[in-house]
Amino acid sequence: MDREDQPLAVEAEGLCRRYGRRWALAEVGLAVRRGTVQLIAGRNGSGKSTLLRILSTAIRADRGWARIDGFDSRTQLETVRQRSALLTHHLY
C-alpha cells in the first residue's frame, strides 16, 4: 500500500488557542498519514507545545477541530487518550 493510500492518523483544521489577549495558535491545520513521521519545528513561543497539547487533549482549542485515528478530540476524549500520548519535559 502506498503512503498516499494510508488513512490519516492525525488531522486538524482551523485550530486556534488564545492565552489572555495573545494567540498561541491561529488557524493551524495539518494531516499526518499513518506510518509516517512529522517534525514540528519553530522558534520558542511559536505554538509547538500548544499544538501538541491540543492534539493529546491536555488542553482544548478555542476554535477548530482535530481527529486522532479518526476520533474527535473534542467529543471522544477518552478514546483519543487511549490511542495517543504526550511526552514532554514539563510536569503539567
Side-chain angles (χ1 to χ4, degrees):
M1 185 180 279
D2 291 336
R3 287 198 176 164
E4 292 80 33
D5 298 334
Q6 291 287 344
L8 292 175
V10 178
E11 57 184 318
E13 187 173 303
L15 289 178
C16 299
R17 175 67 185 198
R18 187 169 65 191
Y19 293 102
R21 296 174 60 194
R22 183 173 182 211
W23 288 96
L25 293 179
E27 300 295 327
V28 172
L30 74 146
V32 180
R33 296 215 176 269
R34 187 173 291 133
T36 64
V37 176
Q38 285 294 148
L39 171 71
I40 299 173
R43 300 172 72 167
N44 288 349
S46 64
K48 302 177 301 292
S49 295
T50 298
L51 173 62
L52 294 175
R53 292 177 68 206
I54 289 171
L55 294 175
S56 68
T57 73
I59 61 174
R60 287 188 174 255
D62 292 318
R63 289 195 309 240
W65 58 267
R67 287 191 199 100
I68 307 298
D69 215 12
F71 296 96
D72 189 311
S73 66
R74 297 169 297 184
T75 60
Q76 298 172 298
L77 277 83
E78 289 305 316
T79 305
V80 169
R81 289 175 181 164
Q82 291 171 357
R83 295 173 177 270
S84 64
L86 176 63
L87 178 62
T88 178
H89 63 280
H90 294 291
L91 297 174
Y92 292 108

PDB file of all heavy atoms in Angstrom, residues 19-50:
ATOM      1  N   TYR A  19      -4.233  32.649  24.887  1.00  0.00           N
ATOM      2  CA  TYR A  19      -3.892  32.806  26.295  1.00  0.00           C
ATOM      3  C   TYR A  19      -4.050  34.292  26.602  1.00  0.00           C
ATOM      4  O   TYR A  19      -3.205  35.101  26.198  1.00  0.00           O
ATOM      5  CB  TYR A  19      -2.466  32.343  26.583  1.00  0.00           C
ATOM      6  CG  TYR A  19      -2.280  30.852  26.397  1.00  0.00           C
ATOM      7  CD1 TYR A  19      -1.663  30.347  25.257  1.00  0.00           C
ATOM      8  CD2 TYR A  19      -2.727  29.956  27.355  1.00  0.00           C
ATOM      9  CE1 TYR A  19      -1.489  28.981  25.087  1.00  0.00           C
ATOM     10  CE2 TYR A  19      -2.557  28.597  27.193  1.00  0.00           C
ATOM     11  CZ  TYR A  19      -1.939  28.117  26.064  1.00  0.00           C
ATOM     12  OH  TYR A  19      -1.773  26.763  25.892  1.00  0.00           O
ATOM     13  N   GLY A  20      -5.126  34.647  27.270  1.00  0.00           N
ATOM     14  CA  GLY A  20      -5.410  36.055  27.504  1.00  0.00           C
ATOM     15  C   GLY A  20      -5.700  36.747  26.191  1.00  0.00           C
ATOM     16  O   GLY A  20      -6.554  36.311  25.435  1.00  0.00           O
ATOM     17  N   ARG A  21      -4.953  37.788  25.896  1.00  0.00           N
ATOM     18  CA  ARG A  21      -5.141  38.515  24.644  1.00  0.00           C
ATOM     19  C   ARG A  21      -4.210  38.045  23.531  1.00  0.00           C
ATOM     20  O   ARG A  21      -4.273  38.522  22.414  1.00  0.00           O
ATOM     21  CB  ARG A  21      -4.928  40.010  24.893  1.00  0.00           C
ATOM     22  CG  ARG A  21      -5.989  40.576  25.842  1.00  0.00           C
ATOM     23  CD  ARG A  21      -5.721  41.996  26.227  1.00  0.00           C
ATOM     24  NE  ARG A  21      -5.703  42.866  25.056  1.00  0.00           N
ATOM     25  CZ  ARG A  21      -5.244  44.097  25.061  1.00  0.00           C
ATOM     26  NH1 ARG A  21      -4.774  44.627  26.165  1.00  0.00           N
ATOM     27  NH2 ARG A  21      -5.265  44.818  23.959  1.00  0.00           N
ATOM     28  N   ARG A  22      -3.334  37.093  23.847  1.00  0.00           N
ATOM     29  CA  ARG A  22      -2.332  36.631  22.894  1.00  0.00           C
ATOM     30  C   ARG A  22      -2.741  35.291  22.273  1.00  0.00           C
ATOM     31  O   ARG A  22      -3.092  34.346  22.974  1.00  0.00           O
ATOM     32  CB  ARG A  22      -0.995  36.475  23.604  1.00  0.00           C
ATOM     33  CG  ARG A  22       0.099  36.079  22.687  1.00  0.00           C
ATOM     34  CD  ARG A  22       1.421  36.120  23.411  1.00  0.00           C
ATOM     35  NE  ARG A  22       2.462  35.771  22.474  1.00  0.00           N
ATOM     36  CZ  ARG A  22       3.558  35.160  22.804  1.00  0.00           C
ATOM     37  NH1 ARG A  22       3.778  34.841  24.060  1.00  0.00           N
ATOM     38  NH2 ARG A  22       4.448  34.866  21.904  1.00  0.00           N
ATOM     39  N   TRP A  23      -2.668  35.220  20.944  1.00  0.00           N
ATOM     40  CA  TRP A  23      -2.958  33.981  20.230  1.00  0.00           C
ATOM     41  C   TRP A  23      -1.705  33.124  20.156  1.00  0.00           C
ATOM     42  O   TRP A  23      -0.680  33.565  19.644  1.00  0.00           O
ATOM     43  CB  TRP A  23      -3.463  34.273  18.822  1.00  0.00           C
ATOM     44  CG  TRP A  23      -4.842  34.833  18.809  1.00  0.00           C
ATOM     45  CD1 TRP A  23      -5.176  36.143  18.753  1.00  0.00           C
ATOM     46  CD2 TRP A  23      -6.054  34.106  18.891  1.00  0.00           C
ATOM     47  NE1 TRP A  23      -6.540  36.282  18.792  1.00  0.00           N
ATOM     48  CE2 TRP A  23      -7.112  35.039  18.874  1.00  0.00           C
ATOM     49  CE3 TRP A  23      -6.365  32.749  18.983  1.00  0.00           C
ATOM     50  CZ2 TRP A  23      -8.446  34.659  18.940  1.00  0.00           C
ATOM     51  CZ3 TRP A  23      -7.697  32.376  19.041  1.00  0.00           C
ATOM     52  CH2 TRP A  23      -8.712  33.319  19.027  1.00  0.00           C
ATOM     53  N   ALA A  24      -1.782  31.908  20.677  1.00  0.00           N
ATOM     54  CA  ALA A  24      -0.670  30.962  20.575  1.00  0.00           C
ATOM     55  C   ALA A  24      -0.754  30.197  19.254  1.00  0.00           C
ATOM     56  O   ALA A  24       0.267  29.852  18.661  1.00  0.00           O
ATOM     57  CB  ALA A  24      -0.683  29.992  21.743  1.00  0.00           C
ATOM     58  N   LEU A  25      -1.965  29.931  18.808  1.00  0.00           N
ATOM     59  CA  LEU A  25      -2.215  29.274  17.517  1.00  0.00           C
ATOM     60  C   LEU A  25      -3.313  30.037  16.803  1.00  0.00           C
ATOM     61  O   LEU A  25      -4.293  30.445  17.433  1.00  0.00           O
ATOM     62  CB  LEU A  25      -2.689  27.835  17.693  1.00  0.00           C
ATOM     63  CG  LEU A  25      -1.738  26.814  18.272  1.00  0.00           C
ATOM     64  CD1 LEU A  25      -2.434  25.461  18.382  1.00  0.00           C
ATOM     65  CD2 LEU A  25      -0.495  26.688  17.428  1.00  0.00           C
ATOM     66  N   ALA A  26      -3.178  30.190  15.509  1.00  0.00           N
ATOM     67  CA  ALA A  26      -4.202  30.870  14.721  1.00  0.00           C
ATOM     68  C   ALA A  26      -4.403  30.118  13.410  1.00  0.00           C
ATOM     69  O   ALA A  26      -3.519  30.117  12.546  1.00  0.00           O
ATOM     70  CB  ALA A  26      -3.814  32.316  14.454  1.00  0.00           C
ATOM     71  N   GLU A  27      -5.534  29.415  13.309  1.00  0.00           N
ATOM     72  CA  GLU A  27      -5.920  28.713  12.077  1.00  0.00           C
ATOM     73  C   GLU A  27      -4.882  27.687  11.623  1.00  0.00           C
ATOM     74  O   GLU A  27      -4.495  27.656  10.455  1.00  0.00           O
ATOM     75  CB  GLU A  27      -6.194  29.712  10.962  1.00  0.00           C
ATOM     76  CG  GLU A  27      -7.304  30.703  11.266  1.00  0.00           C
ATOM     77  CD  GLU A  27      -8.675  30.036  11.422  1.00  0.00           C
ATOM     78  OE1 GLU A  27      -8.942  29.012  10.737  1.00  0.00           O
ATOM     79  OE2 GLU A  27      -9.469  30.525  12.239  1.00  0.00           O
ATOM     80  N   VAL A  28      -4.462  26.821  12.525  1.00  0.00           N
ATOM     81  CA  VAL A  28      -3.473  25.787  12.202  1.00  0.00           C
ATOM     82  C   VAL A  28      -4.185  24.538  11.716  1.00  0.00           C
ATOM     83  O   VAL A  28      -5.186  24.106  12.291  1.00  0.00           O
ATOM     84  CB  VAL A  28      -2.596  25.462  13.428  1.00  0.00           C
ATOM     85  CG1 VAL A  28      -1.697  24.269  13.164  1.00  0.00           C
ATOM     86  CG2 VAL A  28      -1.777  26.674  13.816  1.00  0.00           C
ATOM     87  N   GLY A  29      -3.675  23.951  10.665  1.00  0.00           N
ATOM     88  CA  GLY A  29      -4.195  22.696  10.149  1.00  0.00           C
ATOM     89  C   GLY A  29      -3.056  21.768   9.785  1.00  0.00           C
ATOM     90  O   GLY A  29      -1.951  22.217   9.475  1.00  0.00           O
ATOM     91  N   LEU A  30      -3.311  20.471   9.841  1.00  0.00           N
ATOM     92  CA  LEU A  30      -2.302  19.501   9.442  1.00  0.00           C
ATOM     93  C   LEU A  30      -2.957  18.174   9.145  1.00  0.00           C
ATOM     94  O   LEU A  30      -4.091  17.912   9.565  1.00  0.00           O
ATOM     95  CB  LEU A  30      -1.215  19.337  10.508  1.00  0.00           C
ATOM     96  CG  LEU A  30      -1.568  18.579  11.766  1.00  0.00           C
ATOM     97  CD1 LEU A  30      -0.339  17.821  12.238  1.00  0.00           C
ATOM     98  CD2 LEU A  30      -1.981  19.531  12.853  1.00  0.00           C
ATOM     99  N   ALA A  31      -2.242  17.350   8.410  1.00  0.00           N
ATOM    100  CA  ALA A  31      -2.683  15.991   8.098  1.00  0.00           C
ATOM    101  C   ALA A  31      -1.445  15.105   8.114  1.00  0.00           C
ATOM    102  O   ALA A  31      -0.475  15.380   7.416  1.00  0.00           O
ATOM    103  CB  ALA A  31      -3.363  15.940   6.740  1.00  0.00           C
ATOM    104  N   VAL A  32      -1.496  14.065   8.936  1.00  0.00           N
ATOM    105  CA  VAL A  32      -0.371  13.135   9.070  1.00  0.00           C
ATOM    106  C   VAL A  32      -0.891  11.734   8.784  1.00  0.00           C
ATOM    107  O   VAL A  32      -1.804  11.254   9.463  1.00  0.00           O
ATOM    108  CB  VAL A  32       0.244  13.193  10.490  1.00  0.00           C
ATOM    109  CG1 VAL A  32       1.407  12.226  10.602  1.00  0.00           C
ATOM    110  CG2 VAL A  32       0.669  14.606  10.833  1.00  0.00           C
ATOM    111  N   ARG A  33      -0.334  11.102   7.786  1.00  0.00           N
ATOM    112  CA  ARG A  33      -0.745   9.745   7.426  1.00  0.00           C
ATOM    113  C   ARG A  33      -0.135   8.726   8.383  1.00  0.00           C
ATOM    114  O   ARG A  33       0.970   8.907   8.888  1.00  0.00           O
ATOM    115  CB  ARG A  33      -0.320   9.431   6.006  1.00  0.00           C
ATOM    116  CG  ARG A  33      -1.002  10.325   5.002  1.00  0.00           C
ATOM    117  CD  ARG A  33      -1.303   9.597   3.731  1.00  0.00           C
ATOM    118  NE  ARG A  33      -2.037  10.467   2.839  1.00  0.00           N
ATOM    119  CZ  ARG A  33      -3.357  10.546   2.802  1.00  0.00           C
ATOM    120  NH1 ARG A  33      -4.077   9.793   3.592  1.00  0.00           N
ATOM    121  NH2 ARG A  33      -3.976  11.356   1.977  1.00  0.00           N
ATOM    122  N   ARG A  34      -0.877   7.677   8.625  1.00  0.00           N
ATOM    123  CA  ARG A  34      -0.388   6.586   9.459  1.00  0.00           C
ATOM    124  C   ARG A  34       0.887   6.027   8.836  1.00  0.00           C
ATOM    125  O   ARG A  34       1.001   5.911   7.629  1.00  0.00           O
ATOM    126  CB  ARG A  34      -1.470   5.501   9.545  1.00  0.00           C
ATOM    127  CG  ARG A  34      -1.122   4.405  10.519  1.00  0.00           C
ATOM    128  CD  ARG A  34      -2.265   3.440  10.710  1.00  0.00           C
ATOM    129  NE  ARG A  34      -3.335   4.129  11.422  1.00  0.00           N
ATOM    130  CZ  ARG A  34      -4.610   4.081  11.059  1.00  0.00           C
ATOM    131  NH1 ARG A  34      -4.977   3.397  10.008  1.00  0.00           N
ATOM    132  NH2 ARG A  34      -5.527   4.707  11.765  1.00  0.00           N
ATOM    133  N   GLY A  35       1.867   5.705   9.676  1.00  0.00           N
ATOM    134  CA  GLY A  35       3.115   5.133   9.205  1.00  0.00           C
ATOM    135  C   GLY A  35       4.144   6.158   8.768  1.00  0.00           C
ATOM    136  O   GLY A  35       5.181   5.788   8.228  1.00  0.00           O
ATOM    137  N   THR A  36       3.867   7.433   9.001  1.00  0.00           N
ATOM    138  CA  THR A  36       4.830   8.478   8.654  1.00  0.00           C
ATOM    139  C   THR A  36       5.284   9.200   9.917  1.00  0.00           C
ATOM    140  O   THR A  36       4.703   9.035  10.981  1.00  0.00           O
ATOM    141  CB  THR A  36       4.235   9.517   7.674  1.00  0.00           C
ATOM    142  OG1 THR A  36       3.151  10.192   8.316  1.00  0.00           O
ATOM    143  CG2 THR A  36       3.742   8.856   6.410  1.00  0.00           C
ATOM    144  N   VAL A  37       6.300  10.011   9.768  1.00  0.00           N
ATOM    145  CA  VAL A  37       6.830  10.800  10.867  1.00  0.00           C
ATOM    146  C   VAL A  37       6.769  12.267  10.473  1.00  0.00           C
ATOM    147  O   VAL A  37       7.105  12.610   9.338  1.00  0.00           O
ATOM    148  CB  VAL A  37       8.293  10.402  11.176  1.00  0.00           C
ATOM    149  CG1 VAL A  37       8.886  11.284  12.256  1.00  0.00           C
ATOM    150  CG2 VAL A  37       8.381   8.943  11.564  1.00  0.00           C
ATOM    151  N   GLN A  38       6.338  13.121  11.380  1.00  0.00           N
ATOM    152  CA  GLN A  38       6.291  14.568  11.144  1.00  0.00           C
ATOM    153  C   GLN A  38       7.197  15.254  12.144  1.00  0.00           C
ATOM    154  O   GLN A  38       7.236  14.872  13.315  1.00  0.00           O
ATOM    155  CB  GLN A  38       4.882  15.118  11.341  1.00  0.00           C
ATOM    156  CG  GLN A  38       3.914  14.829  10.270  1.00  0.00           C
ATOM    157  CD  GLN A  38       4.236  15.489   8.939  1.00  0.00           C
ATOM    158  OE1 GLN A  38       3.931  14.919   7.950  1.00  0.00           O
ATOM    159  NE2 GLN A  38       4.819  16.637   8.898  1.00  0.00           N
ATOM    160  N   LEU A  39       7.877  16.276  11.705  1.00  0.00           N
ATOM    161  CA  LEU A  39       8.679  17.117  12.571  1.00  0.00           C
ATOM    162  C   LEU A  39       7.953  18.439  12.730  1.00  0.00           C
ATOM    163  O   LEU A  39       7.552  19.052  11.739  1.00  0.00           O
ATOM    164  CB  LEU A  39      10.064  17.360  11.961  1.00  0.00           C
ATOM    165  CG  LEU A  39      10.927  18.400  12.661  1.00  0.00           C
ATOM    166  CD1 LEU A  39      11.387  17.858  14.011  1.00  0.00           C
ATOM    167  CD2 LEU A  39      12.107  18.777  11.804  1.00  0.00           C
ATOM    168  N   ILE A  40       7.766  18.864  13.963  1.00  0.00           N
ATOM    169  CA  ILE A  40       7.171  20.168  14.244  1.00  0.00           C
ATOM    170  C   ILE A  40       8.289  21.025  14.820  1.00  0.00           C
ATOM    171  O   ILE A  40       8.785  20.757  15.906  1.00  0.00           O
ATOM    172  CB  ILE A  40       5.993  20.048  15.217  1.00  0.00           C
ATOM    173  CG1 ILE A  40       4.919  19.160  14.605  1.00  0.00           C
ATOM    174  CG2 ILE A  40       5.445  21.423  15.554  1.00  0.00           C
ATOM    175  CD1 ILE A  40       3.788  18.818  15.527  1.00  0.00           C
ATOM    176  N   ALA A  41       8.675  22.039  14.068  1.00  0.00           N
ATOM    177  CA  ALA A  41       9.800  22.882  14.463  1.00  0.00           C
ATOM    178  C   ALA A  41       9.378  24.339  14.434  1.00  0.00           C
ATOM    179  O   ALA A  41       8.472  24.721  13.702  1.00  0.00           O
ATOM    180  CB  ALA A  41      10.985  22.663  13.525  1.00  0.00           C
ATOM    181  N   GLY A  42      10.034  25.132  15.243  1.00  0.00           N
ATOM    182  CA  GLY A  42       9.762  26.560  15.261  1.00  0.00           C
ATOM    183  C   GLY A  42      10.489  27.210  16.419  1.00  0.00           C
ATOM    184  O   GLY A  42      11.038  26.540  17.290  1.00  0.00           O
ATOM    185  N   ARG A  43      10.434  28.514  16.422  1.00  0.00           N
ATOM    186  CA  ARG A  43      11.083  29.283  17.479  1.00  0.00           C
ATOM    187  C   ARG A  43      10.348  29.102  18.800  1.00  0.00           C
ATOM    188  O   ARG A  43       9.195  28.666  18.826  1.00  0.00           O
ATOM    189  CB  ARG A  43      11.093  30.746  17.089  1.00  0.00           C
ATOM    190  CG  ARG A  43      11.840  30.999  15.798  1.00  0.00           C
ATOM    191  CD  ARG A  43      11.684  32.399  15.349  1.00  0.00           C
ATOM    192  NE  ARG A  43      12.462  33.265  16.228  1.00  0.00           N
ATOM    193  CZ  ARG A  43      12.723  34.518  15.959  1.00  0.00           C
ATOM    194  NH1 ARG A  43      12.260  35.070  14.868  1.00  0.00           N
ATOM    195  NH2 ARG A  43      13.436  35.239  16.792  1.00  0.00           N
ATOM    196  N   ASN A  44      11.008  29.472  19.883  1.00  0.00           N
ATOM    197  CA  ASN A  44      10.358  29.468  21.191  1.00  0.00           C
ATOM    198  C   ASN A  44       9.128  30.363  21.126  1.00  0.00           C
ATOM    199  O   ASN A  44       9.179  31.465  20.573  1.00  0.00           O
ATOM    200  CB  ASN A  44      11.307  29.976  22.273  1.00  0.00           C
ATOM    201  CG  ASN A  44      12.400  28.980  22.584  1.00  0.00           C
ATOM    202  OD1 ASN A  44      12.345  27.840  22.162  1.00  0.00           O
ATOM    203  ND2 ASN A  44      13.408  29.423  23.313  1.00  0.00           N
ATOM    204  N   GLY A  45       8.025  29.864  21.679  1.00  0.00           N
ATOM    205  CA  GLY A  45       6.806  30.649  21.708  1.00  0.00           C
ATOM    206  C   GLY A  45       5.993  30.598  20.427  1.00  0.00           C
ATOM    207  O   GLY A  45       5.017  31.326  20.291  1.00  0.00           O
ATOM    208  N   SER A  46       6.358  29.721  19.479  1.00  0.00           N
ATOM    209  CA  SER A  46       5.645  29.678  18.204  1.00  0.00           C
ATOM    210  C   SER A  46       4.399  28.795  18.233  1.00  0.00           C
ATOM    211  O   SER A  46       3.663  28.753  17.252  1.00  0.00           O
ATOM    212  CB  SER A  46       6.586  29.225  17.084  1.00  0.00           C
ATOM    213  OG  SER A  46       7.036  27.901  17.312  1.00  0.00           O
ATOM    214  N   GLY A  47       4.154  28.069  19.331  1.00  0.00           N
ATOM    215  CA  GLY A  47       2.934  27.281  19.459  1.00  0.00           C
ATOM    216  C   GLY A  47       3.098  25.784  19.316  1.00  0.00           C
ATOM    217  O   GLY A  47       2.106  25.054  19.296  1.00  0.00           O
ATOM    218  N   LYS A  48       4.314  25.292  19.246  1.00  0.00           N
ATOM    219  CA  LYS A  48       4.545  23.855  19.077  1.00  0.00           C
ATOM    220  C   LYS A  48       3.941  23.050  20.227  1.00  0.00           C
ATOM    221  O   LYS A  48       3.182  22.099  20.005  1.00  0.00           O
ATOM    222  CB  LYS A  48       6.041  23.551  18.983  1.00  0.00           C
ATOM    223  CG  LYS A  48       6.762  24.247  17.864  1.00  0.00           C
ATOM    224  CD  LYS A  48       8.254  23.960  17.886  1.00  0.00           C
ATOM    225  CE  LYS A  48       8.957  24.377  19.147  1.00  0.00           C
ATOM    226  NZ  LYS A  48       9.071  25.809  19.400  1.00  0.00           N
ATOM    227  N   SER A  49       4.270  23.420  21.443  1.00  0.00           N
ATOM    228  CA  SER A  49       3.753  22.688  22.612  1.00  0.00           C
ATOM    229  C   SER A  49       2.247  22.837  22.732  1.00  0.00           C
ATOM    230  O   SER A  49       1.549  21.880  23.077  1.00  0.00           O
ATOM    231  CB  SER A  49       4.422  23.185  23.898  1.00  0.00           C
ATOM    232  OG  SER A  49       5.793  22.886  23.874  1.00  0.00           O
ATOM    233  N   THR A  50       1.737  24.003  22.423  1.00  0.00           N
ATOM    234  CA  THR A  50       0.293  24.214  22.470  1.00  0.00           C
ATOM    235  C   THR A  50      -0.401  23.295  21.479  1.00  0.00           C
ATOM    236  O   THR A  50      -1.406  22.652  21.805  1.00  0.00           O
ATOM    237  CB  THR A  50      -0.046  25.688  22.163  1.00  0.00           C
ATOM    238  OG1 THR A  50       0.559  26.502  23.173  1.00  0.00           O
ATOM    239  CG2 THR A  50      -1.543  25.923  22.145  1.00  0.00           C
TER     240      THR A  50
END
